[in-house]
Amino acid sequence: MIYYIEEPVGSFQNSCMRLNLQSYGTGFPLIILHGLFGSLDNWQTISRKLAEHFQIFAIDQRNHGGSPHSDDFNYQVMAEDLFEVMESNGLTKAHLLGHSMGGKTAMQFALSYPGKVEKLIVADIAPKAYPPWHIPIFEALLSLELTQYRSRKQIDDALAVSIPETALRQFLLKNLATNPDGTYRWKIDLQSIYRNYSRLNAPVSGVGTFTGPVLFIKGEQSDYILDSDANLIRHCFPKAQFRTIPNAAHWLHAEKPIEFIKIVEEFLL
């Protein structure tokens, strides 16, 4: 059994980093933030569709995708990273769209810098603490000695023992990169994410509220947002609205992209 370890939280002041991002389209800026184990690549189809109306900034959060790695990993530093993205791209204000971990980053940013957010969309996450639901995934990934495999198929077969869901394995295996010698490594900083996992499950911190328009989108089959979370959500976001996508679970944007895009456009346009 693997257990995640808490280490001291570093200061988040001046610890922001230049994140990897892709930009599409023109118009009012819309920043898109992926979830845990994800990347901006997972959002390309939705990003390009939304780029018909907005200038999209799809971002790899720290320790994910093509962005730098760091042992300093919590929602405060990720909000600072987002501030740096806006500053370096000359964005005085933007819409934010975040899924899961990205949704918490977006909420943290909106509470910390309310004047920089026009509208906020949070996909299937609440500003509360969560149980360590991802421990079995960490156990499976950390148990792999990647240098012993010579194909993605071998790695997929090894993961299938612990993770039988094909779609979940394929999502996780998008984080594989190939070394010059043909061996594999993780693009994500798996060890740092694992060490800081309890911080990713922590509630959004800070005082005050974001009084701008906010939309929470949940999957009908997901238990990430419960009816009992409404009071907490409205305490932080008094103008919060709620929409549910039928027959969708936590990865609602991937499972029901047409419905998801329609809801996002109706709220933002």
Side-chain angles (χ1 to χ4, degrees), residues 143-211:
S143 69
L144 297 178
E145 180 52 62
L146 291 183
T147 57
Q148 71 179 2
Y149 299 105
R150 289 297 177 266
S151 72
R152 290 174 180 261
K153 177 64 165 57
Q154 291 179 343
I155 299 172
D156 184 44
D157 290 343
L159 272 182
V161 176
S162 302
I163 304 176
E165 301 90 344
T166 301
L168 177 56
R169 291 200 313 277
Q170 293 306 307
F171 168 72
L172 295 169
L173 290 175
K174 289 181 180 180
N175 290 298
L176 281 177
T178 307
N179 294 315
D181 63 358
T183 59
Y184 292 91
R185 60 180 172 81
W186 296 114
K187 286 187 288 188
I188 57 175
D189 191 340
L190 184 58
Q191 292 289 345
S192 179
I193 297 171
Y194 170 69
R195 286 193 296 268
N196 289 282
Y197 180 51
S198 62
R199 297 188 184 101
L200 301 182
N201 286 331
V204 172
S205 61
V207 296
T209 60
F210 173 70
T211 58

Side-chain angles (χ1 to χ4, degrees), residues 41-84:
D41 288 342
N42 307 138
W43 285 81
Q44 282 199 10
T45 300
I46 290 176
S47 293
R48 293 188 183 279
K49 179 62 177 174
L50 292 173
E52 296 175 5
H53 306 287
F54 306 98
Q55 183 179 13
I56 301 298
F57 292 86
I59 293 172
D60 282 334
Q61 298 196 84
R62 63 169 58 199
N63 293 329
H64 289 74
S67 284
H69 295 177
S70 173
D71 286 332
D72 205 8
F73 192 43
N74 56 70
Y75 291 112
Q76 290 175 318
V77 295
M78 287 191 280
E80 294 296 309
D81 290 342
L82 183 52
F83 181 86
E84 200 284 327

Side-chain angles (χ1 to χ4, degrees), residues 201-256:
N201 286 331
V204 172
S205 61
V207 296
T209 60
F210 173 70
T211 58
V214 183
L215 176 64
F216 283 79
I217 310 173
K218 77 178 298 289
E220 181 186 36
Q221 298 171 350
S222 172
D223 55 3
Y224 273 75
I225 299 178
L226 305 175
D227 291 343
S228 57
D229 297 327
N231 287 339
L232 172 62
I233 288 172
R234 288 203 168 96
H235 174 77
C236 300
F237 307 101
K239 292 184 180 178
Q241 304 173 36
F242 299 87
R243 294 286 299 272
T244 298
I245 297 182
N247 302 313
H250 184 56
W251 281 276
L252 64 176
H253 60 292
E255 298 170 15
K256 301 288 184 177

